[in-house]
Amino acid sequence: MPFDDDMREALDMFVTEARDLVQGLEEGLLELESQPSGGEAVNALFRAAHTLKGSSGLFGLQHLVSFTHVVETVLGSVREGQLDVTPGLVSALLPCTDHISAMIESVAEGRLEADAGQSADSARLLTGLEPYLADGPAMTAGAAAAEVDTAPREGAWRLELQFGPDCLRNGMDPLSFLRYLSSLGTVTDVITDTERLPEADEMDPESCYLGFTVDLTTSAPKAEIEAVFDFVREDSDIRISPAESQLDTYVKAIRAMPENDRIGDVLINSGAVTEAEMAEALRVQQERAVREGTQPVPIGEILIEQGIIQRGIVDAALTRQRRTTETRSQDTRTIRVDAARLDKLIDLVGELVIAQSSTGVVGGEHTSEAQSEVMRLVDEVRHSALSLRMVPIGTTLRRFERVVRDVCMELGKEVSLVITGGDAEMDKALVERISDPLLHLVRNSLDHGIEPSAERRKHGKAQQGTLRLNAYHDAGNIVIEVADDGRGLDRDRILAKAVERELVAPGTPLTDSEVYNLIFEPGFSTAEKVSNLSGRGVGMDVVKRNVTALRGSIEVETNRGVGTTIRIRLPLTLAIIDGFLVGVGTSSFIVPLDRVTECVELPPGPLGRDCMNLRGEVLPFIRLRQLFNIPGPPARRQNVVIVEQSGQRTGLVVDSLLGELQTVIKPLGVLFSRVKCISGSTILGNGEIALILDVAPLVSDYSDREHTRQAVAVA
């Protein structure tokens, strides 16, 4: 189906929303498995499947419609209490969400019809759902022909006909109407009403005294049945209502209808009420309100009074209306914005911050009060703009529920996943890029960390292991922890493997932290067996590389037999940070402010020293002039910026302290991608460039070189 630009834009929106719906389906199924009695969870699942089906139908994506229709039917049975939630049912439905996701991604790539592979997958998955369908194979076989609209194809109607007394006199034969009804369907019953029939001597042979109650089964819509009586409607009482046997059908149809907050539209779309009947009911409602001087009677009550529909249908429509209102009130709390527009806004704010910095340089100490106010407002705009990109990390963490479930089934382990801190917010770009590293860590914990049930019982542990994902803010960073209560890291084994691979010389004294950090070396693995989950030594080095690329750091905390915690520390945003500007010779550097603990003057001492006495504490320091080979003599009075990384305090010796600065991070580009200790650059108010120090590798790299230097000196 060719799409014009408008339709293509609408299709893009559909894909975006469909991805959210599928994500909701998967999360809902996992929640339902842990809480099978969750009524609202079932309703949310059903709504997601139904919305997905309906939206797919708008774009003619019949393969999505037919497949989702079967999934929706199964969920409908769960919602109606006809089907229990079992692990088997969830296991059958979860692959269906994967398949729907794959079809949506195909649509995103422009493939609007299923290919042979997808059709085969659909057939296989639908076969797996047959045990949970009332119609079984018939339902899945007919899935391809499933229709979007939920109105009943053939309905049973009850017609209460009271013809006017002048009907015969006007040339209208009541029996002719009954005969015509037979052409629309099957007249199953006719009851003649003779209550208005007078005594014989009072009877007018040209007057009509008879009424009829007719049961009709037909596929014709109600409006077509109603049209049969157009010529006698003015002086006759014609009431057409769904048969009692059809009530459940209409109620289900209304429940499955798309969202609509107008009860009249719901009833008309369901086919239970025609537009003419609704117009007449509205007229009666208005006239009664004017005549009695009261609030209008609800339209549903009037329709019931007129015998047009039954109360059960009205109640279903009211429920549909209320749920739509509730959903829309929730939807209006958020607005979906194109990420590219947000990026553009952040770029503009970045330029504004640089321009503001320039204004401060020009004004110097004589910055006016008005300029200070502008600077304050710019700062507020910066914070507000950055907050637009902040999203809770909980959505990302909840995706691992499925990973844990699938991996545990594959490994035959029992593991409970506990997620805390899901409300902690971080930059959307960071959230997207941290998913893969977290996936590696979770799979490693499940495969290598947490022991099988038998081994856990042998060591006096609970049979079920626990994996915790926790997120929290700390000193301007977000910290994400992956913790398990498994066997912990084997220090001796890691060290032996490192010596075997010549990563460490035999007998080299290493701290526990240094030994555990060896697991992040490329290709490093202590696993005896290689599985499809892990064991090839590929993964942990990728984790560290990705975390480092995000200006983050990673720590390992482990106790043998108790468990392991991998702690990732990341900046909240990749766009603008608060920095501390320092000078070394003619060069300028930015130290991330959240890493700075204090600044002191470098006390006098020998030229070659690399530590100082800080209130009784031995503080190692790094001379940036030497580290970056900056020419020229040092300043007469030097300063030390003390930074903290993973609990370790280190000093950075600089010539001058230039103060705090809002720092717009500019990437270094491909040519400088291998430069260590520098995470980016920024443009200062005077137009010069300052490099942003990457504190974690700066400290660790300096520490490594010092270890090497001391080892050579000892040798």
Side-chain angles (χ1 to χ4, degrees):
M1 179 190 299
F3 287 143
D4 56 22
D5 290 344
D6 290 341
M7 283 299 290
R8 171 55 61 184
E9 187 175 343
L11 186 65
D12 291 341
M13 291 179 64
F14 159 74
V15 169
T16 302
E17 293 176 355
R19 287 171 177 156
D20 292 343
L21 289 170
V22 173
Q23 181 65 31
L25 274 174
E26 182 177 299
E27 292 176 1
L29 287 171
L30 293 170
E31 181 183 351
L32 200 61
E33 187 177 31
S34 58
Q35 298 176 349
S37 59
E40 184 51 38
V42 179
N43 290 334
L45 275 171
F46 183 83
R47 284 198 297 270
H50 181 73
T51 304
L52 187 58
K53 185 185 78 171
S55 301
S56 303
L58 292 176
F59 294 93
L61 305 172
Q62 193 56 38
H63 60 300
L64 260 172
V65 173
S66 56
F67 186 84
T68 314
H69 176 70
V70 180
V71 174
E72 179 194 20
T73 303
V74 174
L75 293 174
S77 299
V78 175
R79 189 174 69 158
E80 298 299 328
Q82 300 166 358
L83 194 61
D84 293 331
V85 178
T86 62
L89 175 62
V90 175
S91 295
L93 287 172
L94 281 174
C96 293
T97 64
D98 295 338
H99 184 56
I100 293 173
S101 178
M103 289 193 285
I104 290 169
E105 294 308 318
S106 295
V107 171
E109 294 169 0
R111 298 194 296 274
L112 304 183
E113 296 180 356
D115 55 28
Q118 287 180 342
S119 298
D121 288 342
S122 294
R124 176 177 55 78
L125 292 168
L126 292 180
T127 302
L129 292 181
E130 285 178 0
Y132 307 103
L133 292 164
D135 298 336
M139 177 75 184
T140 55
E147 294 183 1
V148 179
D149 102 46
T150 52
R153 290 183 176 182
E154 188 171 72
W157 301 92
R158 168 150 291 193
L159 289 71
E160 295 177 284
L161 311 174
Q162 291 293 337
F163 292 100
D166 296 331
C167 179
L168 295 172
R169 213 172 276 116
N170 293 334
M172 299 295 171
D173 179 3
L175 292 179
S176 65
F177 292 101
L178 300 185
R179 284 193 290 272
Y180 187 78
L181 286 175
S182 300
S183 66
L184 296 180
T186 304
V187 177
T188 57
D189 194 17
V190 178
I191 301 173
T192 304
D193 180 6
T194 58
E195 284 189 1
R196 291 191 302 166
L197 199 63
E199 297 296 332
D201 56 345
E202 299 176 357
M203 188 178 298
D204 179 0
E206 293 186 349
S207 295
C208 178
Y209 301 102
L210 296 178
F212 302 92
T213 300
V214 181
D215 289 336
L216 173 68
T217 302
T218 176
S219 59
K222 189 177 183 181
E224 189 173 342
I225 305 171
E226 189 181 54
V228 172
F229 305 99
D230 279 350
F231 294 109
V232 294
R233 178 165 298 281
E234 285 189 6
D235 59 349
S236 302
D237 185 5
I238 309 296
R239 300 185 181 190
I240 308 170
S241 61
E244 292 291 334
S245 61
Q246 293 288 298
L247 284 183
D248 286 345
T249 304
Y250 279 99
V251 170
K252 289 179 181 177
I254 289 173
R255 286 175 181 171
M257 286 175 65
E259 293 181 349
N260 198 318
D261 56 3
R262 297 180 57 174
I263 186 174
D265 291 342
V266 172
L267 292 171
I268 291 173
N269 292 336
S270 72
V273 178
T274 65
E275 292 187 4
E277 289 172 334
M278 184 59 67
E280 176 63 16
L282 288 170
R283 186 188 64 77
V284 172
Q285 180 192 46
Q286 191 172 11
E287 286 183 358
R288 185 181 298 180
V290 172
R291 185 175 64 251
E292 299 177 358
T294 58
Q295 289 294 321
V297 177
I299 195 69
E301 296 298 325
I302 293 178
L303 291 169
I304 294 171
E305 285 178 13
Q306 295 183 341
I308 296 174
I309 50 175
Q310 294 86 345
R311 181 167 295 280
I313 297 177
V314 172
D315 289 344
L318 288 171
T319 303
R320 173 79 276 181
Q321 180 191 38
R322 186 174 64 254
R323 289 183 177 177
T324 299
T325 304
E326 291 172 355
T327 303
R328 288 192 177 173
S329 65
Q330 291 176 355
D331 290 346
T332 54
R333 296 174 190 169
T334 59
I335 182 171
R336 191 184 297 274
V337 179
D338 190 337
R341 295 186 182 183
L342 275 183
D343 291 341
K344 178 68 176 174
L345 175 62
I346 298 298
D347 287 344
L348 289 174
V349 170
E351 297 301 322
L352 187 61
V353 169
I354 293 172
Q356 175 215 22
S357 176
S358 174
T359 304
V361 170
V362 174
E365 296 178 355
H366 304 291
T367 302
S368 68
E369 185 176 341
Q371 282 178 310
S372 298
E373 180 64 11
V374 171
M375 292 168 70
R376 185 187 67 78
L377 292 173
V378 168
D379 194 42
E380 284 192 14
V381 169
R382 177 180 73 98
H383 281 291
S384 299
L386 290 178
S387 68
L388 295 177
R389 292 183 56 91
M390 306 299 275
V391 296
I393 194 174
T395 304
T396 298
L397 298 184
R398 282 193 295 276
R399 292 177 183 173
F400 292 104
E401 292 176 344
R402 174 72 183 281
V403 175
V404 171
R405 182 184 189 277
D406 291 349
V407 172
C408 287
M409 291 185 69
E410 184 175 346
L411 297 175
K413 293 183 178 180
E414 297 180 36
V415 180
S416 167
L417 176 64
V418 179
I419 296 175
T420 52
D423 293 335
E425 292 186 329
M426 63 189 296
D427 192 297
K428 185 175 186 299
L430 277 169
V431 170
E432 293 171 350
R433 292 163 66 180
I434 199 61
S435 295
D436 285 345
L438 287 178
L439 177 63
H440 282 296
L441 295 178
V442 168
R443 290 163 68 100
N444 264 292
S445 288
L446 295 173
D447 196 12
H448 299 304
I450 298 178
E451 314 91 329
S453 299
E455 185 178 338
R456 292 180 64 86
R457 286 196 301 271
K458 181 180 175 182
H459 290 92
K461 291 184 173 181
Q463 179 171 311
Q464 185 182 55
T466 302
L467 179 68
R468 298 180 185 278
L469 296 178
N470 182 32
Y472 57 90
H473 288 161
D474 179 44
N477 292 274
I478 186 166
V479 180
I480 306 171
E481 294 179 340
V482 180
D484 65 63
D485 63 348
R487 53 175 68 99
L489 296 181
D490 187 338
R491 185 185 191 284
D492 296 338
R493 194 170 174 184
I494 294 173
L495 189 55
K497 192 72 177 181
V499 171
E500 178 187 325
R501 291 195 55 203
E502 298 182 349
L503 294 174
V504 177
T508 303
L510 295 176
T511 65
D512 288 348
S513 175
E514 290 169 332
V515 172
Y516 297 139
N517 279 329
L518 289 170
I519 65 174
F520 297 112
E521 291 295 323
F524 190 90
S525 175
T526 59
E528 295 175 352
K529 296 181 180 178
V530 176
S531 68
N532 61 341
L533 293 174
S534 55
R536 296 185 184 277
V538 179
M540 296 301 278
D541 63 317
V542 176
V543 170
K544 186 170 185 180
R545 191 162 61 243
N546 288 352
V547 170
T548 303
L550 296 174
R551 296 193 294 110
S553 61
I554 188 166
E555 308 163 14
V556 181
E557 183 179 317
T558 183
N559 285 312
R560 190 66 181 154
V562 178
T564 301
T565 299
I566 306 287
R567 189 173 294 112
I568 296 175
R569 187 180 294 271
L570 294 167
L572 289 177
T573 177
L574 295 173
I576 303 175
I577 63 170
D578 289 322
F580 190 75
L581 183 62
V582 298
V584 181
T586 57
S587 301
S588 299
F589 296 93
I590 297 287
V591 184
L593 193 59
D594 54 68
R595 300 298 172 91
V596 178
T597 59
E598 62 178 309
C599 298
V600 297
E601 183 176 341
L602 179 66
L607 289 177
R609 61 181 175 146
D610 55 5
C611 62
M612 59 180 277
N613 181 353
L614 178 67
R615 297 187 292 273
E617 172 191 356
V618 177
L619 179 75
F621 56 69
I622 304 169
R623 297 177 188 271
L624 295 187
R625 179 180 292 277
Q626 293 179 1
L627 181 67
F628 294 111
N629 295 319
I630 299 173
R636 188 172 59 85
R637 297 176 59 185
Q638 292 181 290
N639 296 282
V640 180
V641 179
I642 301 173
V643 297
E644 185 169 340
Q645 174 65 34
S646 303
Q648 178 184 351
R649 284 156 60 88
T650 307
L652 304 177
V653 179
V654 301
D655 288 349
S656 57
L657 306 176
L658 303 175
E660 297 181 16
L661 181 72
Q662 292 176 10
T663 305
V664 181
I665 301 173
K666 301 288 185 182
L668 285 173
V670 179
L671 282 178
F672 302 98
S673 60
R674 293 182 180 275
V675 174
K676 289 185 176 179
C677 312
I678 301 295
S679 60
S681 64
T682 191
I683 302 173
L684 301 178
N686 57 11
E688 293 183 356
I689 304 296
L691 298 176
I692 302 171
L693 296 178
D694 197 352
V695 173
L698 177 68
V699 173
S700 64
D701 187 60
Y702 184 79
S703 176
D704 291 344
R705 283 193 284 112
E706 281 301 301
H707 270 295
T708 305
R709 187 175 63 82
Q710 291 174 10
V712 171
V714 170

